[in-house]
């Protein structure tokens, strides 16, 4: 078998996984796309190991050994990643990456609490006068990206 067949298949798998990582909004589909990319790398490692073993008599099969390590890392990654996604889904109610990013940025644009303690520890019942904090700034609206 020629080396070009598994190399082309591996490139197609990797490009499909890369598109899935960049275009998907669901965290579980992003994790699946990362797994697809790792499997493309595994296919490349095994194909080049078989191709190089034909030239050398005493081979160590290092490509296959690296593939086993990659499979172990992928299993740990999917286990931990899926646990994190499920915990976030339970807390936030969604696994949409854009909505999670918006909640992580925070929506507190009003500034410090006006009824909080002053610098000397005493409380004031109104806004401070004479400072830049006394002028109320209009809330900033976030533009939502659509793709």
């Amino acid at each position: 078998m020629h080396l070009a067949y598994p190399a082309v298949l591996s490139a197609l798998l990797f490009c499909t996984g890369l598109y899935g990582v960049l275009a998907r909004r669901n965290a579980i589909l992003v994790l699946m796309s990362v797994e697809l990319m790792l499997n493309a790398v595994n296919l490349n490692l095994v194909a080049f190991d078989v191709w190089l073993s034909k030239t050398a008599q005493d081979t160590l099969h290092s490509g296959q050994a690296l593939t086993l390590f990659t499979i172990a890392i992928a299993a740990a990654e999917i286990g931990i990643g899926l646990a994190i996604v499920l915990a976030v889904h339970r807390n936030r109610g969604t696994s949409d990456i854009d909505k999670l990013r918006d909640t992580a940025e925070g929506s507190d644009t009003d500034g410090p609490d006006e009824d909080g303690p002053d610098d000397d520890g005493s409380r004031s019942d109104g806004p401070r006068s004479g400072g830049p904090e006394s002028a109320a700034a209009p809330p900033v609206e976030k533009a939502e990206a659509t793709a």
Side-chain angles (χ1 to χ4, degrees):
M1 178 190 300
H2 297 286
L3 181 63
Y5 297 134
V8 168
L9 179 63
S10 175
L12 289 173
L13 284 174
F14 191 84
C15 290
T16 304
L18 185 65
Y19 172 75
V21 167
L22 296 176
R24 299 292 177 198
R25 300 289 181 239
N26 192 349
I28 295 175
L29 291 177
V30 170
L31 285 174
M32 289 174 58
S33 297
V34 169
E35 290 295 321
L36 195 62
M37 291 168 59
L38 286 172
N39 285 332
V41 170
N42 286 342
L43 179 63
N44 245 351
L45 285 171
V46 171
F48 275 99
D49 183 53
V50 168
W51 182 64
L52 290 174
S53 68
K54 290 180 181 177
T55 60
Q57 296 296 329
D58 296 328
T59 182
L60 296 175
H61 296 291
S62 59
Q64 294 177 11
L66 284 173
T67 299
L68 289 176
F69 285 118
T70 308
I71 289 171
I73 289 171
E77 177 257 336
I78 199 66
I80 293 171
L82 193 58
I84 291 171
V85 167
L86 287 175
V88 167
H89 188 272
R90 284 183 188 157
N91 288 336
R92 306 281 183 173
T94 183
S95 62
D96 189 7
I97 294 175
D98 288 336
K99 291 179 183 175
L100 294 176
R101 181 177 22 209
D102 289 342
T103 57
E105 290 173 357
S107 60
D108 187 24
T109 59
D110 295 337
D113 189 18
E114 293 179 356
D115 292 335
D118 287 338
D119 292 336
D120 59 355
S122 64
R123 296 183 58 90
S124 65
D125 290 275
R128 296 181 198 170
S129 60
E133 292 88 5
S134 62
V140 179
E141 294 184 22
K142 292 182 183 179
E144 186 170 328
T146 57

